[in-house]
Amino acid sequence: MKGKVMSYPVEQNEKFAAYAHPERLVSTEWLAAAVESGAVSSGQLVVVESDEDVLLYETGHIPGAVKIDWHTDLNDEVTRDYVDGAAFAELAASKGISRDSTVVIYGDKSNWWAAYALWVFTLFGHHDVRLLDGGRDKWIAEGRELTPEKPAPARGEYPVVEREDAPIRAFKEDVLAHLGKPLIDVRSPEEYTGQRTHMPAYPEEGALRGGHIPTAASIPWARAAAPDGTFRSREELDALYLGEAGLTEGDDVVAYCRIGERSSHTWFALKFLLGFETVRNYDGSWTEWGNAVRVPIVKGAERGSFPVPVGA
Amino acid sequence: MMTTQALPSALAAIVDDFQALTEPERLQLLLEFSQGLPDLPDRLKDHPELLEQVVECQSPLFLTIETERGSGSVRLYFKAPAEAPTTRGFAGVLHEGLDGLSAEEILSVPDDMPELLGLTRAITPLRMRGMTAMLGRIKRKVAASTAVRS
């Protein structure tokens, strides 16, 4: 696909130009103009809403947008894995998406589920998929149009493409082999230290141990987002990831959270905004690592070291 | 499989409504319940500290109960943002099904009642956990207030 002309023009603006891959973002103004021009209703541009709340799209969405639910559409119902090539092709086609479509994804909560959906599209090598900077909340805050009307897009033509996990997805074994290279833990500080309290009669959130993967830097995902849900500027992101987390250009990085959704947001920032070539999202994340037998963990605010001293 | 026989009548009627529908229609009905959830009365609106957060819900959900003197009816109050229609919908179901019942009636509701709505596949088990937690929290608060009174 290299060198292929993007099927829909890329937005040019000063903020995006500072990022490594400006073609991966669009602004609300740009999308509003595209909706206005009829590009969405004609299917030239496909807008996808992907939220944490499975009913939020139904309450009102960007005119012409289709819905993709991270859980019911993208996850396999039986195996803890993503859908396969055939299921993805069917999903895409049913939403009016063809292999060469330009897809703009947006969602609630500063786009974390949208970033997760974009990451899954990338597992299938979808070439032109972008995020709406600021997501659903910014669109609404600006008083832009919403409609509960569900579009009936003409079926897209999507070939069965097998997922290529290796470049952007890390499994537990990959993370064990990666120890010693940079890791970013994007969960809250309480989850990172393992001190998240567990009150009487409150079930714990599905992990037997609290803490983090040895050597992981704690950079909660939301720090990459401004209060309006847009991504922080290039300068701010550099300060966060190159400064505070201590990454250096060319690093091989793995990001994780609890199930891989919040870390998709960080993955997007590292991969497309800062331009790290090798960034993988560990979707097993803490719900796997915190339950796995005999994997090393570190408790407390220190990053810890690897190998973990014997008897520690 | 549980039946609706053991449920208080209002809740049993809601469960029957859900069960009679197809999956997409059930989601639509849940959306209607989210729109029907009453606002908090002013005295609670101004006192968020009187409500407790149910942390298992993916979105912020706060609730409290009050027992009416004399009748012993339990009143339920919920607060959930409009951006969380699924959570609001669950709250709406519990409000319509349980508000005004006696403590005994509420305590008799099986903990896994939410499973009867037939939403688990469409909503996913992860999201259903929030609803089960909401019911559990209501029952614990009712049990605690009953213990205090007796």
Side-chain angles (χ1 to χ4, degrees):
Chain A
M1 300 296 276
K2 274 210 175 81
K4 188 177 187 298
V5 177
M6 291 264 185
S7 37
Y8 200 85
V10 167
E11 179 173 3
Q12 310 287 340
N13 71 43
E14 202 182 327
K15 180 193 173 192
F16 296 171
Y19 295 134
H21 293 279
E23 74 280 8
R24 292 295 185 159
L25 283 176
V26 306
S27 68
T28 49
E29 294 77 15
W30 183 93
L31 185 58
V35 169
E36 187 68 23
S37 75
V40 178
S41 51
S42 71
Q44 210 187 342
L45 185 67
V46 181
V47 181
V48 171
E49 175 160 337
S50 211
D51 299 315
E52 175 175 285
D53 193 300
V54 70
L55 283 177
L56 194 52
Y57 169 89
E58 280 74 7
T59 67
H61 48 82
I62 296 177
V66 294
K67 166 186 171 178
I68 290 185
D69 185 65
W70 66 278
H71 212 315
T72 57
D73 290 325
L74 299 177
N75 284 6
D76 185 273
E77 209 179 330
V78 179
T79 309
R80 183 173 172 187
D81 200 359
Y82 300 98
V83 292
D84 63 13
F88 185 77
E90 175 51 36
L91 171 71
S94 73
K95 301 292 177 183
I97 300 169
S98 297
R99 188 66 174 163
D100 58 359
S101 294
T102 297
V103 178
V104 172
I105 311 184
Y106 75 98
D108 59 354
K109 313 232 157 165
S110 305
N111 276 333
W112 34 305
W113 302 96
Y116 186 77
L118 185 145
W119 178 73
V120 175
F121 270 69
T122 309
L123 288 174
F124 289 98
H126 192 89
H127 181 63
D128 188 2
V129 55
R130 314 177 189 182
L131 275 187
L132 172 66
D133 199 24
R136 181 182 167 95
D137 290 344
K138 185 161 192 274
W139 182 273
I140 292 173
E142 291 168 346
R144 298 185 190 277
E145 189 185 353
L146 291 177
T147 175
E149 204 177 303
K150 290 180 193 170
R155 218 181 138 75
E157 285 181 22
Y158 213 95
V160 174
V161 181
E162 286 316 318
R163 270 193 348 245
E164 200 189 341
D165 289 337
I168 60 166
R169 183 180 186 194
F171 294 100
K172 189 181 99 203
E173 295 68 28
D174 301 325
V175 178
L176 281 166
H178 180 86
L179 289 177
K181 291 186 220 162
L183 279 156
I184 307 279
D185 183 318
V186 317
R187 298 171 302 158
S188 62
E190 295 77 16
E191 290 169 280
Y192 180 84
T193 58
Q195 283 169 344
R196 199 192 141 103
T197 49
H198 158 106
M199 292 180 271
Y202 285 71
E204 185 47 82
E205 270 211 314
L208 292 171
R209 296 285 182 278
H212 57 268
I213 300 177
T215 74
S218 169
I219 305 284
W221 73 277
R223 295 185 61 196
D228 66 357
T230 56
F231 281 101
R232 297 268 179 197
S233 69
R234 176 67 188 257
E235 200 181 341
E236 290 168 319
L237 293 179
D238 279 342
L240 195 57
Y241 295 106
L242 302 183
E244 202 174 320
L247 298 181
T248 41
E249 205 184 318
D251 271 346
D252 172 359
V253 190
V254 170
Y256 71 94
C257 57
R258 200 177 70 83
I259 56 170
E261 82 300 13
R262 287 172 286 181
S263 45
S264 297
H265 186 272
T266 298
W267 169 84
F268 183 91
L270 293 173
K271 176 96 182 159
F272 296 128
L273 306 185
L274 298 188
F276 283 90
E277 284 289 323
T278 313
V279 189
R280 287 173 295 168
N281 182 24
Y282 169 37
D283 58 282
S285 276
W286 200 256
T287 50
E288 178 178 46
W289 197 273
N291 287 318
V293 176
R294 285 188 146 178
V295 297
I297 72 166
V298 172
K299 287 183 172 291
E302 298 302 320
R303 290 182 186 179
S305 57
F306 184 81
V308 177
V310 177
Chain B
M1 182 77 187
M2 274 195 309
T3 67
T4 56
Q5 284 167 0
L7 298 177
S9 59
L11 194 57
I14 295 171
V15 167
D16 286 342
D17 286 348
F18 272 96
Q19 288 187 351
L21 297 173
T22 63
E23 213 171 74
E25 291 168 339
R26 287 175 188 164
L27 285 175
Q28 194 55 41
L29 181 57
L30 190 65
L31 186 62
E32 286 165 23
F33 273 103
S34 82
Q35 290 154 349
L37 181 68
D39 282 343
L40 286 178
D42 288 344
R43 63 192 162 77
L44 287 175
K45 253 183 212 163
D46 300 336
H47 290 280
E49 75 281 3
L50 296 176
L51 293 116
E52 282 182 22
Q53 182 168 11
V54 180
V55 294
E56 294 88 345
C57 295
Q58 288 192 329
S59 304
L61 181 279
F62 297 84
L63 63 82
T64 194
I65 64 156
E66 287 174 1
T67 307
E68 289 184 346
R69 284 172 204 274
S71 72
S73 299
V74 178
R75 307 305 309 268
L76 306 179
Y77 301 98
F78 297 92
K79 189 180 103 171
E83 312 85 75
T86 303
T87 300
R88 279 184 69 88
F90 288 159
V93 165
L94 294 176
H95 186 269
E96 188 168 315
L98 301 178
D99 186 50
L101 298 186
S102 69
E104 292 68 28
E105 286 172 303
I106 292 177
L107 292 174
S108 76
V109 175
D111 292 340
D112 55 356
M113 179 286 292
E115 303 289 327
L116 290 175
L117 297 173
L119 286 165
T120 309
R121 214 189 72 88
I123 296 285
T124 74
L126 188 70
R127 288 161 171 150
M128 285 304 292
R129 241 183 20 198
M131 182 160 193
T132 307
M134 230 186 273
L135 174 62
R137 182 66 70 86
I138 291 167
K139 288 177 68 177
R140 280 201 300 281
K141 287 184 73 72
V142 169
S145 78
T146 309
V148 168
R149 283 186 296 133
S150 55

